[in-house]
């Protein structure tokens, strides 16, 4: 098994453990400069993840790290892209739909990804070069790497040929463009069911065959999508920019993503 993937899994499990300690307590919510929420869980999980990744040869882009100037970043051929708690709003609502996202990106393309769901102890992972994508339902955040792989179940996306198309919609970002996208599918004679999930779990729905397509016509950052894209790409699912009609790229000068669509075809 790829040593960097193992390390990312270990880091995500340790981060999940500290996140749940905060989740199960009374916690304060701060607002960052962009008015997005921040909790003690984001900071603690970020510290844990950095403590693992610092031992690798690769620098880290994390939502909670001070961002490095592009003049320096553009020299990085490989880097980690991390969101310690993706779905902080879901965390604050205590609905369980928040994740730890860790991806390894080379030449702008995600090649390894881990998404851990601390509230349910479900782990998703992908290795693009090995065409390996799996999920594992864990009993504990303390699960060993060997046991993670024993519990691994392959991810199998849908082929999208049925008459019922499941479209992943956001609980908080159903834009007019998304509604137009759904209408376009209906106009082909297919029925549409909207499936809602928070955070990067939307990517997991596609990768594990519980939905057909995820249109995202609202802002996201690279750390929101890198791990999900790696997991999807590992099982033949594409994450295509609406600007370029090509896969999303990472470690860009502007870390904001264009709009995109996730699907098998």
């Amino acid at each position: 098994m790829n040593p960097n993937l193992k390390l990312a899994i270990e880091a995500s499990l340790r981060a999940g453990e500290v996140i749940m300690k905060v989740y199960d307590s009374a916690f304060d919510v701060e607002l960052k400069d962009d008015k997005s929420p921040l909790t003690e869980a984001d900071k603690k999980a970020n510290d844990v993840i950095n403590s693992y990744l610092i031992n690798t040869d690769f620098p880290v882009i994390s939502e909670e790290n001070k961002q490095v100037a592009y003049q320096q970043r553009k020299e990085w051929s490989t880097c980690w892209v991390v969101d310690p708690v993706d779905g902080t709003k879901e965390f604050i609502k205590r609905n369980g739909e928040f994740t730890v996202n860790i991806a390894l990106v080379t030449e702008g393309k995600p090649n390894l990804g881990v998404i851990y769901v601390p509230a349910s102890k479900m782990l998703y992972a992908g290795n693009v070069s090995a065409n390996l994508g799996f999920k594992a339902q864990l009993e504990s955040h303390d699960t060993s790497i060997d046991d993670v792989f024993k519990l691994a179940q392959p991810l199998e996306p849908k082929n999208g040929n049925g008459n019922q198309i499941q479209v992943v919609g956001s609980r908080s970002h159903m834009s007019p463009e998304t509604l137009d996208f759904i209408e376009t599918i209906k106009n082909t004679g297919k029925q549409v069911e909207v499936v809602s999930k928070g955070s990067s779990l939307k990517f997991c729905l596609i990768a594990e065959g519980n939905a057909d397509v995820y249109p995202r016509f609202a802002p996201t950052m690279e750390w929101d999508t890198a791990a999900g894209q790696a997991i999807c790409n590992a099982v033949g699912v594409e994450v295509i920019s609406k600007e370029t009609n090509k896969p999303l790229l990472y470690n860009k000068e502007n870390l904001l993503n264009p709009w995109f669509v996730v699907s098998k075809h």
Side-chain angles (χ1 to χ4, degrees):
M1 179 51 61
N2 184 292
N4 290 313
L5 185 60
K6 283 185 178 178
L7 187 76
I9 290 170
E10 287 174 349
S12 73
L13 296 182
R14 291 286 79 73
E17 191 170 24
V18 301
I19 288 166
M20 290 312 291
K21 284 180 178 162
V22 177
Y23 189 70
D24 293 333
S25 67
F27 55 81
D28 295 325
V29 179
E30 303 170 34
L31 286 181
K32 294 193 281 194
D33 292 344
D34 65 358
K35 299 292 185 273
S36 62
L38 179 72
T39 74
E40 191 185 351
D42 298 82
K43 298 180 214 171
K44 286 188 168 178
N46 195 53
D47 288 346
V48 166
I49 293 166
N50 280 317
S51 76
Y52 277 83
L53 304 188
I54 202 167
N55 299 319
T56 69
D57 297 331
F58 314 121
V60 180
I61 297 173
S62 168
E63 179 173 18
E64 307 309 338
N65 287 358
K66 185 173 183 301
Q67 296 314 323
V68 175
Y70 183 64
Q71 287 304 104
Q72 186 177 342
R73 283 195 292 110
K74 70 180 183 182
E75 305 299 327
W76 299 352
S77 63
T78 300
C79 63
W80 296 100
V81 180
V82 173
D83 193 344
V85 182
D86 183 26
T88 300
K89 289 177 184 170
E90 317 296 341
F91 180 89
I92 293 164
K93 291 178 197 164
R94 286 193 162 93
N95 70 9
E97 293 183 7
F98 52 90
T99 58
V100 179
N101 299 349
I102 303 176
L104 190 64
V105 166
T106 300
E107 305 296 353
K109 296 177 181 176
N111 52 28
L112 298 174
V114 175
I115 292 175
Y116 184 48
V117 194
S120 65
K121 303 185 187 70
M122 178 67 85
L123 180 114
Y124 297 85
N127 179 341
V128 178
S129 59
N131 296 315
L132 172 73
F134 68 86
K135 63 181 178 180
Q137 178 61 65
L138 310 182
E139 293 287 315
S140 159
H141 308 300
D142 286 330
T143 305
S144 71
I145 285 291
D146 286 345
D147 284 341
V148 168
F149 291 118
K150 282 178 192 163
L151 292 164
Q153 302 287 325
L155 294 171
E156 296 180 14
K158 292 167 74 175
N159 60 23
N161 293 332
N163 194 44
Q164 173 107 351
I165 301 295
Q166 290 171 307
V167 178
V168 181
S170 172
R171 292 196 193 287
S172 38
H173 303 287
M174 203 57 145
S175 64
E177 293 84 359
T178 309
L179 296 171
D180 289 345
F181 181 89
I182 289 170
E183 280 306 309
T184 304
I185 296 173
K186 286 181 177 174
N187 289 339
T188 67
K190 293 184 183 278
Q191 295 178 320
V192 172
E193 178 192 355
V194 176
V195 187
S196 292
K197 278 284 181 191
S199 68
S200 60
L201 285 166
K202 300 179 190 73
F203 289 91
C204 301
L205 282 174
I206 305 291
E208 67 188 340
N210 286 329
D212 296 281
V213 59
Y214 166 31
R216 181 58 184 239
F217 305 147
T220 57
M221 301 299 289
E222 289 190 6
W223 44 75
D224 296 319
T225 59
Q229 183 168 340
I231 291 165
C232 283
N233 289 170
V235 293
V237 171
E238 298 281 4
V239 181
I240 300 297
S241 161
K242 291 292 282 180
E243 275 180 14
T244 64
N245 266 341
K246 294 178 179 172
L248 290 191
L249 293 173
Y250 293 84
N251 192 24
K252 306 186 304 298
E253 183 167 5
N254 182 351
L255 297 171
L256 183 71
N257 290 322
W259 292 358
F260 60 86
V261 175
V262 183
S263 68
K264 186 81 186 322
H265 305 295

